Amino acid sequence: MTATEPAASDAIAPAEASPQPAPGATPPRTPLIARAAAELVGTAALVAIVVGSGIQATELTQDVALQLLANSTATVFGLGVLIALLGPVSGAHFNPAVTLAEWWTARRGGAGVNARELAVYVPSQIVGAIAGAILADAMFGEPLVKWSQHDRSAGNLLLGEVVATAGLILLIFGLARTDRLRFAPVAVASYIGAAYWFTSSTSFANPAVTVGRAFTDTFAGIAPASVPGFVAMQLIGAAVGLALVAVIFMRGKTGQDKPAV
């Protein structure tokens, strides 16, 4: 979800031939209000998928492993579809950690969102996440807002969030550095699905989603008291991910960079 701008051209190319930005690629000609709407709707849909599938799973089985399998499977498919659909509009961030990482790379000379876009994207994502949790609760006859009692403050869970978020940022920006963002819908969704299982926290890896999930006392919820710790670890994970991108995908020097003999 880091930006790669389409190549400029004086000629008008057919729509199907134009570059299609994947997560993190912010289309320069898309109005900001449309991008904000895409981020709000996309994040709302993502949280509705996570929370709704969690509620459905707990109603169908008491086996916690099957509940997590159902929850993660729905999230993988839903996230992939949302990225494919809304990536060409807003970059399909749905995640303040990704947006902040893009803004940071743009400040350092890379492509990405500017400060004005950052100020629009992040609130849109948070509002969307809260709306998505409320919508899921409404669909399943749950109280529209009931603070979660699911404590997630243990140190091992916080470490899991650092790992999950660092891996997500490494994946997204690594794809961008290697010009393979076209694989983002499958790659990002697959990573999140895997991280559900290999991280102790079940991979929230998203500050907006974390806030939204505090509004539902269901399978996917998180106690409000646990939210600050999760968000802090996610931001640390984003910084770690960017550092890994800088080291692993370090750009080599060209012949022009060599000193003259």
Side-chain angles (χ1 to χ4, degrees):
M1 302 183 202
T2 155
T4 50
E5 295 185 3
S9 174
D10 294 331
I12 300 176
E16 62 270 19
S18 61
Q20 295 300 308
T26 305
R29 296 184 184 86
T30 305
L32 184 55
I33 188 170
R35 284 181 272 157
E39 287 297 301
L40 189 152
V41 171
T43 311
L46 175 59
V47 174
I49 290 166
V50 172
V51 174
S53 62
I55 297 172
Q56 183 80 285
T58 56
E59 291 183 353
L60 294 175
T61 178
Q62 297 303 310
D63 188 319
V64 178
L66 285 178
Q67 291 172 355
L68 186 61
L69 178 61
N71 193 212
S72 60
T73 301
T75 302
V76 168
F77 287 126
L79 180 57
V81 168
L82 290 171
I83 294 172
L85 175 65
L86 298 176
V89 179
S90 68
H93 296 192
F94 314 146
N95 188 336
V98 173
T99 305
L100 282 165
E102 253 209 25
W103 170 76
W104 178 255
T105 59
R107 286 183 71 250
R108 300 178 64 83
V113 298
N114 57 33
R116 177 169 173 262
E117 293 165 331
L118 174 70
V120 172
Y121 268 47
V122 172
S124 298
Q125 293 158 354
I126 294 172
V127 170
I130 295 170
I134 293 173
L135 176 61
D137 282 340
M139 287 192 292
F140 286 91
E142 299 287 338
L144 296 186
V145 175
K146 184 177 181 182
W147 301 116
S148 175
Q149 302 301 309
H150 196 159
D151 179 73
R152 299 179 188 260
S153 59
N156 63 303
L157 302 182
L158 297 177
L159 176 60
E161 280 303 287
V162 174
V163 172
T165 312
L168 179 63
I169 296 299
L170 174 62
L171 170 63
I172 293 166
F173 286 76
L175 289 175
R177 284 283 183 95
T178 55
D179 194 26
R180 293 184 295 167
L181 275 173
R182 62 190 178 278
F183 299 120
V186 172
V188 173
S190 298
Y191 172 79
I192 292 298
Y196 255 89
W197 291 91
F198 80 77
T199 65
S200 56
S201 63
T202 66
S203 183
F204 285 48
N206 184 328
V209 168
T210 302
V211 171
R213 288 168 68 166
F215 283 72
T216 177
D217 190 21
T218 58
F219 180 78
I222 176 173
S226 301
V227 169
F230 259 50
V231 171
M233 293 304 103
Q234 289 157 359
L235 296 178
I236 291 172
V240 171
L242 284 177
L244 291 172
V245 171
V247 173
I248 295 172
F249 298 98
M250 188 182 301
R251 293 187 175 93
K253 293 184 179 181
T254 65
Q256 294 177 345
D257 297 328
K258 295 179 181 178
V261 177

